[in-house]
Amino acid sequence: MPDQLRAWQEVRERVPWRDVVPHLDTPVPAIRDGFLAHAAIGADRRRQELLLTAYRDVRGAAASGADLTPQLTGRWNATLRGIPAAGFRRGPAFAKNGRDRYGLHPDTLHRYGRSLTEATDPAIPVAARAARSYLDVAFFHPYDDGNARLAGLVLHFVLLRVGVELDEAGPILGLVRRADDPEGAAGLARLVHGIAAATRRRWLRSAIDTVRYAAPRS
């Protein structure tokens, strides 16, 4: 069975992250929190409560300028799962009903940590960094469970750390990604950038409308 982690590591080096999207003008405010709206979908209230608790931690860490580390993602993963602590997996991982296999190699944890440190590289546009970090979590598959939810949290952390809000998250979080698809990885970066740019436009229109309707009428 192919190793999806190895496939991702090869793809990761092929995507022109610096050039796939332009830099955003930051900050990007939003008229609503798209992550909260997406998290409210579904009937599992306990799962939603844990996800929102982790998201509050994500927002606090981003506001403090914290570095993205395996310790931080482990903390969020534990919160998501409602367990005391989450350690890096100790063997190969499987997803999609066993169709995808993520290998474990002597340097996997080191590579995972190094990939997280690259999430704050200012030379790479933040939308590309956020997309790459999302895929890093998805394909390193660092924990025994909760990796898809964690990937969404990490994406938002990278954006929030530089003041970028999204008013829509479903188009990003609702699609299944492939580890061996460089164009798909680049497309995710473009999608994040496009939603961030649209979020700014919608916020500006809302601000203009608020001023217009608040102005005294003669």
Side-chain angles (χ1 to χ4, degrees):
M1 181 181 295
D3 184 344
Q4 300 300 314
L5 175 55
R6 286 199 184 278
W8 165 242
Q9 289 173 334
E10 293 174 2
V11 164
R12 194 180 192 274
E13 298 304 314
R14 291 165 53 192
V15 177
W17 300 108
R18 291 173 183 262
D19 304 316
V20 69
V21 291
H23 286 275
L24 285 164
D25 291 330
T26 57
V28 176
I31 56 177
R32 72 164 194 165
D33 189 321
F35 186 90
L36 291 180
H38 183 75
I41 298 172
D44 190 335
R45 297 303 178 192
R46 174 62 174 164
R47 181 184 174 102
Q48 290 172 359
E49 289 171 2
L50 293 173
L51 179 58
L52 294 177
T53 299
Y55 182 55
R56 286 192 291 271
D57 193 1
V58 165
R59 292 193 69 97
S64 73
D67 292 326
L68 190 59
T69 64
Q71 292 74 28
L72 194 56
T73 62
R75 187 173 86 197
W76 295 336
N77 182 263
T79 302
L80 285 171
R81 296 161 62 190
I83 60 176
F88 200 88
R89 60 184 169 90
R90 297 184 178 181
F94 297 86
K96 301 174 186 173
N97 296 319
R99 296 191 302 275
D100 283 356
R101 174 183 177 274
Y102 307 92
L104 182 66
H105 312 283
D107 64 346
T108 299
L109 177 56
H110 171 74
R111 282 178 174 266
Y112 175 64
R114 189 174 67 187
S115 75
L116 296 182
T117 66
E118 295 173 357
T120 56
D121 180 358
I124 297 176
V126 68
R129 283 187 273 134
R132 185 176 64 184
S133 296
Y134 176 92
L135 296 171
D136 281 334
V137 174
F139 299 131
F140 272 92
H141 217 79
Y143 305 104
D144 292 334
D145 192 18
N147 294 290
R149 284 168 285 161
L150 177 63
L153 290 174
V154 167
L155 179 143
H156 279 80
F157 171 82
V158 175
L159 295 172
L160 291 167
R161 197 172 182 274
V162 296
V164 176
E165 304 262 0
L166 299 180
D167 62 13
E168 293 286 348
I172 298 169
L173 305 181
L175 295 179
V176 176
R177 308 288 169 178
R178 288 181 46 171
D180 60 353
D181 182 9
E183 182 52 40
L188 178 59
R190 296 186 190 104
L191 177 61
V192 174
H193 182 274
I195 291 176
T199 295
R200 175 190 287 278
R201 290 194 297 271
R202 286 187 282 265
W203 182 87
L204 285 172
R205 285 200 298 269
S206 176
I208 290 170
D209 288 344
T210 298
V211 170
R212 180 182 298 144
Y213 288 119
R217 298 176 183 274
S218 57

